[in-house]
Amino acid sequence: MAEQLHDVAHIGHAELLTPKPEESLRFFEEVLGMEVEAREGQSVFLRGWGDYQRYSLKLTEAQRAGLGHMAMRAWSAEALDRRVQAVEASGRGEGWIDGDLGHGPAYRFTDPDGHPFELYYETEKYVPPEHLRPSLKNQPQRYVGRGAAVKRLDHVNLLALDVEANRRFAADVLGFRLYERIQLDDGSEAGAWMSLSIAAHELIYVRDALGQQGRLHHLAFWVDTREEVLRAADLFLESGIEIEAALSKHAVAQGFFLYGFEPGGNRVEVTHGGYLVYDPDPEPTVWTEAERAKGQAWGVKTVESFHTYGT
């Protein structure tokens, strides 16, 4: 087995596009309980109370909903240079930008499906203002308990025309480890769950049932307990947020979930659970077509829109 790449540390943040910026901001700030860290142009930068960087979500006004980009942080400046060279060799590079709010120079590129990515290393660590200073010195921000009180961005799920091609690019060029996948009866790959860390997943590719390219399935935000996922469901209900899939447990990666649509049209998940992978060379779990047809872990059938809707 080839030695694992260790140049990219973790997903850093995601940019979400929304045609309803004020309504979307109200959702992330009041319903999910994120803090507004900064505003710049048509964008608002938000953070969960556990983020060590300044933000994990960039919310940008746009004509259509979808993914603006997903950014990953390298382990070092040297590691960043190595991955940039690998991306350039793949022919998918677009070039350097000076950097966005809160981080230094970033290299822009796309995966085989056309989803926009960035790689960066230099970053600003979060320094809380007095009213958000935590009691515990090993916690970046005070826990304020507003809304669902999401702690951090957990993972990004992307729809893809060719799951295998995107999965191989993420593994071979960026260093993602494949932990679980779905293989259909015809031998094709319908889903891949990958991570740069010991977390069960940070990046997911799922086959686009409509045969399109570059669409976003969802962003997922982590909360500390299952009870907070339950509370988020009540908050969605009372706030008029459409719930697509009520609480249950995934078979793949074992996460406890709630799915809904923020006002701009993007699917958002509130999640807890899953597992950690300490094995340095795990054998990926392979799910068959028949196994996936059974639905979620507790037998709940997956709603149809979950297979077809994307932004």
Side-chain angles (χ1 to χ4, degrees):
M1 182 177 180
E3 185 174 354
Q4 187 68 37
L5 293 171
H6 292 288
D7 282 346
V8 187
H10 63 89
I11 60 172
H13 63 264
E15 180 184 23
L16 198 63
L17 307 179
T18 173
K20 298 181 178 180
E22 294 305 318
E23 293 94 328
S24 292
L25 175 59
R26 192 156 42 245
F27 168 80
F28 285 105
E29 186 177 11
E30 298 178 7
V31 181
L32 289 196
M34 302 183 80
E35 294 290 337
V36 172
E37 167 61 12
R39 298 172 184 262
E40 188 175 85
Q42 300 302 107
S43 299
V44 181
F45 300 81
L46 299 106
R47 57 177 285 104
W49 61 271
D51 285 319
Y52 77 89
Q53 298 177 100
R54 287 184 61 184
Y55 62 91
S56 58
L57 175 66
K58 178 181 180 181
L59 187 64
T60 300
E61 181 178 358
Q63 290 186 338
R64 294 193 301 173
L67 181 72
H69 73 275
M70 187 183 95
M72 295 155 285
R73 190 181 182 210
W75 278 104
S76 66
E78 294 76 16
L80 175 60
D81 287 340
R82 287 192 294 268
R83 287 309 95 209
V84 167
Q85 291 177 30
V87 171
E88 289 179 335
S90 75
R92 306 221 57 89
E94 294 185 350
W96 289 93
I97 61 171
D98 290 337
D100 207 341
L101 180 78
H103 70 80
Y107 189 81
R108 301 212 72 175
F109 61 99
T110 62
D111 64 12
D113 216 66
H115 298 101
F117 287 87
E118 289 183 4
L119 279 169
Y120 68 97
Y121 169 63
E122 296 175 12
T123 192
E124 294 182 30
K125 306 294 180 66
Y126 178 65
V127 178
E130 188 59 37
H131 74 284
L132 290 175
R133 194 175 302 280
S135 298
L136 297 175
K137 64 192 301 183
N138 57 0
Q139 185 171 300
Q141 178 199 301
R142 173 175 294 179
Y143 175 85
V144 297
R146 185 179 63 251
V150 298
K151 189 173 187 178
R152 57 176 170 81
L153 175 67
D154 186 71
H155 62 266
V156 177
N157 186 315
L158 303 175
L159 294 169
L161 185 62
D162 186 336
V163 169
E164 184 176 357
N166 287 277
R167 185 258 297 170
R168 290 188 181 279
F169 175 83
D172 297 344
V173 177
L174 302 176
F176 278 89
R177 293 202 295 174
L178 175 67
Y179 288 155
E180 304 198 33
R181 67 185 184 92
I182 299 171
Q183 183 168 310
L184 302 183
D185 294 343
D186 62 6
S188 63
E189 199 164 303
W193 282 253
M194 297 174 290
S195 185
L196 293 160
S197 66
I198 63 172
H201 50 15
E202 290 184 277
L203 174 62
I204 304 168
Y205 282 107
V206 177
R207 179 177 294 178
D208 194 314
L210 302 186
Q212 298 181 17
Q213 290 181 279
R215 295 204 296 164
L216 170 70
H217 192 273
H218 71 268
L219 297 186
F221 295 87
W222 173 273
V223 291
D224 260 353
T225 67
R226 282 190 179 186
E227 287 70 24
E228 287 176 303
V229 186
L230 290 165
R231 184 165 177 270
D234 282 333
L235 290 167
F236 277 29
L237 179 65
E238 297 294 348
S239 302
I241 301 301
E242 180 184 351
I243 295 175
E244 179 189 30
L247 298 88
S248 192
K249 179 180 178 177
H250 284 300
V252 180
Q254 301 180 29
F256 195 61
F257 66 79
L258 166 71
Y259 289 96
F261 299 105
E262 59 87 18
N266 295 292
R267 180 188 285 110
V268 173
E269 178 187 7
V270 177
T271 186
H272 177 75
Y275 57 83
L276 302 176
V277 182
Y278 293 99
D279 187 349
D281 57 348
E283 186 67 29
T285 300
V286 179
W287 298 88
T288 66
E289 191 169 332
E291 288 170 334
R292 291 303 300 135
K294 294 178 181 178
Q296 304 304 323
W298 298 331
V300 175
K301 293 299 181 183
T302 306
V303 297
E304 182 59 29
S305 60
F306 201 73
H307 296 297
T308 58
Y309 184 86
T311 51

